[in-house]
Amino acid sequence: SLVRLKDLEVPKLGDSSVYVKMLAAPINPADINMIQGTYPILPPLPAVGGNEGVGEVLEVGRHVRALKAGDWVIPADAGLGTWRTWGVFPEEMLQKVPSDIPVLCAATLSVNPCTAFRLLADFESLAPGDSVIQNAANSGVGQAVIQIARASGIKTINVVRDRTDLPKLVERLMALGADHIVTEEMLRKPEMKDIFKSIPRPRLALNCVGGKSTTEMLRHLQPKSTMVTYGGMAKQPVMVPVSAFIFRDVRLRGFWMTQWRKDHAQDQESLSGMMDALCQLIRRGQLTAPACTEVPLQDYRAALEASMKPFVSSKQILLL
């Protein structure tokens, strides 16, 4: 197997490095893609898996100013290797987060909620009452989109795959603040028109599936809307009818959180503004961690397998 549990020596603490005890780290689709070698970031091997998680600072080098023992930190960028119990990292690879938010919220903060925040903020200027449509609405990003949109008065139309426990999933997403939930099959039905009696057609579509699902979502957009693709779970291309381009001038964009961080490396205000906004929502109970299954690190094999099963509505979180 490609993934093994190993005991390593913790390196000595350098002047500008930070000794961290990891607390919890999720398994995300991108982490699996990295192990499979299908992701644009491929660390030199052997590597520690995991791009997201939260740890507690135990000790800092003498030149470290921004962090102190007891602080909570999350990765400042992808590729940190969070599936470990301890680590020594350069100060600039870590970002401080408040320790008064739940540990699972902190562990799942740097990828999905940040992605959801940027998707809602950066492509269309949405006002309260506007609507957004998204597929894979039960994903980590999808759950965050529902809650962040809800807090801003934006309506969400949430597309999910049909499944045996659909009523349970619908109930869970409604509890998060979803306005409408439809299956991919329903996207093609005339009943979709009923939704738009009470809310406007979406100005923004969020796609992390590809294939048919995406083409169907496009039909329901207002003219001059934007569809942003940030994932491709179906491993199929995005198919766009020519009419959507010509007669409705739909814009197609892409988003990758890692690239956003690179582009904004010098722009601390954008980053801290986003993190503050997300932590405020968490404190107010308006943004929760995705549905999680907590797994001790030694059971990592079972966690990896579970994270790759279809229709899993729970994120596997390694407790370190």
Side-chain angles (χ1 to χ4, degrees), residues 210-230:
K212 265 210 188 74
S213 159
T214 315
T215 314
E216 297 299 339
M217 272 202 315
L218 278 172
R219 288 175 203 271
H220 301 295
L221 292 181
Q222 285 185 35
K224 296 198 188 312
S225 298
T226 305
M227 183 173 79
V228 188
T229 293
Y230 67 94

Side-chain angles (χ1 to χ4, degrees), residues 28 43 45 47 58 76-77 92-93 99 101 109-110 118 146 148 155 168 180 182 190 210 222 243 252 256 304 312 317:
N28 289 319
L45 298 174
L58 297 182
D77 211 344
E92 65 274 7
M93 289 180 73
S99 53
I101 61 174
L109 186 58
S110 62
R118 300 266 52 108
I146 289 171
I148 297 167
K155 307 288 185 193
K168 217 159 83 193
H180 297 276
V182 297
Q222 285 185 35
S243 60
L252 265 62
W256 186 29
L304 281 170
V312 169
I317 306 258

Side-chain angles (χ1 to χ4, degrees), residues 89-110:
F89 306 108
E91 176 185 17
E92 65 274 7
M93 289 180 73
L94 301 169
Q95 181 181 354
K96 184 179 164 175
V97 290
S99 53
D100 66 343
I101 61 174
V103 71
L104 292 183
C105 286
T108 54
L109 186 58
S110 62

Side-chain angles (χ1 to χ4, degrees), residues 125-243:
S125 44
L126 299 167
D130 283 343
S131 81
V132 173
I133 188 167
Q134 62 165 347
N135 53 25
N138 59 317
S139 67
V141 172
Q143 292 175 56
V145 163
I146 289 171
Q147 295 172 85
I148 297 167
R150 185 51 175 283
S152 332
I154 293 159
K155 307 288 185 193
T156 56
I157 302 165
N158 300 281
V159 185
V160 296
R161 287 182 298 175
D162 200 3
R163 60 197 63 212
T164 47
D165 59 347
L166 187 64
K168 217 159 83 193
L169 176 63
V170 168
E171 196 179 320
R172 207 160 54 89
L173 296 183
M174 291 306 259
L176 291 180
D179 295 284
H180 297 276
I181 299 162
V182 297
T183 62
E184 298 198 341
E185 292 69 35
M186 280 166 69
L187 275 180
R188 284 173 220 139
K189 303 257 165 72
E191 291 87 282
M192 277 299 288
K193 288 198 188 67
D194 298 340
I195 291 180
F196 303 119
K197 286 175 184 158
S198 56
I199 62 170
R201 285 186 176 270
R203 300 236 314 276
L204 180 66
L206 307 175
N207 165 47
C208 72
V209 177
K212 265 210 188 74
S213 159
T214 315
T215 314
E216 297 299 339
M217 272 202 315
L218 278 172
R219 288 175 203 271
H220 301 295
L221 292 181
Q222 285 185 35
K224 296 198 188 312
S225 298
T226 305
M227 183 173 79
V228 188
T229 293
Y230 67 94
M233 300 302 277
K235 299 187 170 60
Q236 288 161 357
V238 169
M239 307 286 275
V240 183
V242 170
S243 60

Side-chain angles (χ1 to χ4, degrees), residues 12 18 27 31 60 66 84-85 138 142 152 175 185 192 210 221 228 243 245-246 252 259 276 289 302 319:
K12 263 174 64 96
V18 180
I27 299 175
D31 303 328
V60 301
R84 64 171 94 213
T85 48
N138 59 317
S152 332
E185 292 69 35
M192 277 299 288
L221 292 181
V228 188
S243 60
F245 277 133
I246 300 176
L252 265 62
Q259 189 63 44
D276 292 349
L319 295 184

